[in-house]
Amino acid sequence: MGEAMLKLDGVHKRFGALEVLRGIDLEVAHGEVVCVLGPSGSGKSTLLRCVNLLEPPEQGEIFLEGKDICKGPDSGTGEQSWRLDFVRQRVGIVFQQFNLFPHKTALQNVTMAPERVLGRSSGEARAKATQLLERVGLADKLNEYPERLSGGQQQRVAIARALAMDPHVMLFDEVTSALDPELVKEVLDVLRELAAEGMTMLVVTHEMGFARDVGDKVVFMDGGVIVEQGKPAEVLDNPREERTRRFLGLVLDR
């Protein structure tokens, strides 16, 4: 997998008096799938939002493809240190909520950003969007509006929209948690295909089967820190830390 595509070094994030991330060190190699597990409020979503600078950290460094995308608070560079364009063009993110534009079709939802941000022609953007929607199994839904799509279909449109920007890294924030159980598989299948194609992925999930089967590494977070990380079989079957064992006991016994 080679050198790190993404590296976090001592990342801290607070909201007011609440310190949500308390010194995160993490590496994600090229083509690696890292699954992040942990209870609600452990800092998982904030971790992802820091990676694409939706929530810039107050302390620590984040390296994307070897470039420092944020500076520590003592650098004196202030807002000028945030390389938003560099990050947004390389990092795609898909949230728990689909966030599709309700007045636009599936195809229009996917073509908007490539046209406006990347400057692609409408013909080029449309061809790419059509290919991506076919790729996620929605070839027959190009002209449907979100309200006429199931939750699983809407989430797949959201994934296609993120992929339309040709990201180098994909972040997924509990993308199946708002779906009915029977729709979860169709979304996870898309993630499995992306992993098989070598996409670098950081996936916050409660889907233990996916983490075990697809993840190259599993990270368990609690209280804003990484409690332990390792190969899926190591962390899920033989966790070293008591806190990890308690969490998995609750989740796997359901």
Side-chain angles (χ1 to χ4, degrees):
M1 290 183 182
E3 68 181 58
M5 170 73 83
L6 181 67
K7 181 179 179 181
L8 287 76
D9 186 7
V11 170
H12 289 252
K13 180 65 184 178
R14 69 168 61 245
F15 297 101
L18 179 62
E19 192 172 16
V20 180
L21 298 180
R22 301 188 292 126
I24 298 295
D25 299 320
L26 178 66
E27 289 193 19
V28 183
H30 285 262
E32 190 174 29
V33 178
V34 176
C35 293
V36 184
L37 314 178
S40 297
S42 59
K44 307 184 302 297
S45 295
T46 300
L47 170 65
L48 295 193
R49 293 173 69 86
C50 283
V51 168
N52 80 337
L53 300 184
L54 281 172
E55 299 287 355
E58 286 92 12
Q59 184 178 338
E61 294 176 307
I62 301 176
F63 297 89
L64 176 62
E65 298 181 334
K67 291 184 170 55
D68 187 355
I69 61 172
C70 60
K71 303 293 184 181
D74 299 325
S75 66
T77 55
E79 289 301 312
Q80 298 304 313
S81 66
W82 306 108
R83 302 177 182 179
L84 289 176
D85 289 342
F86 177 82
V87 173
R88 300 289 159 76
Q89 290 173 12
R90 290 164 175 78
V91 181
I93 187 167
V94 182
F95 300 97
Q96 175 179 338
Q97 301 301 328
F98 321 126
N99 298 324
L100 301 178
F101 292 103
H103 60 291
K104 294 188 177 296
T105 65
L107 188 64
Q108 291 169 334
N109 265 282
V110 179
T111 59
M112 276 187 64
E115 289 180 16
R116 297 187 181 184
V117 179
L118 300 181
R120 289 180 179 158
S121 68
S122 59
E124 184 183 5
R126 184 183 178 91
K128 176 82 170 181
T130 300
Q131 175 191 27
L132 287 170
L133 288 167
E134 290 174 350
R135 178 180 177 184
V136 298
L138 296 174
D140 59 340
K141 304 293 184 182
L142 302 184
N143 298 311
E144 295 286 1
Y145 289 90
E147 66 177 9
R148 294 176 57 85
L149 299 174
S150 71
Q153 290 169 337
Q154 290 186 59
Q155 192 60 290
R156 284 185 280 156
V157 173
I159 294 172
R161 179 177 59 184
L163 292 174
M165 297 294 288
D166 295 324
H168 300 184
V169 180
M170 282 291 293
L171 312 176
F172 294 97
D173 189 8
E174 298 192 20
V175 293
T176 60
S177 60
L179 301 178
D180 292 334
E182 64 268 22
L183 302 178
V184 169
K185 182 180 182 299
E186 64 189 46
V187 174
L188 290 181
D189 283 346
V190 174
L191 271 62
R192 291 174 189 272
E193 291 175 12
L194 290 175
E197 293 166 7
M199 175 64 75
T200 306
M201 296 161 58
L202 188 56
V203 185
V204 171
T205 184
H206 288 300
E207 299 293 336
M208 297 297 156
F210 176 85
R212 182 186 300 277
D213 296 342
V214 182
D216 296 299
K217 180 163 61 184
V218 166
V219 172
F220 174 67
M221 288 184 65
D222 189 32
V225 300
I226 292 177
V227 177
E228 70 176 289
Q229 58 182 301
K231 295 289 186 183
E234 296 171 358
V235 176
L236 297 178
D237 297 334
N238 191 29
R240 299 186 306 273
E241 302 296 330
E242 174 60 26
R243 181 65 188 95
T244 312
R245 287 195 289 271
R246 290 203 313 272
F247 173 79
L248 293 174
L250 292 171
V251 173
L252 295 177
D253 287 344
R254 285 188 213 169

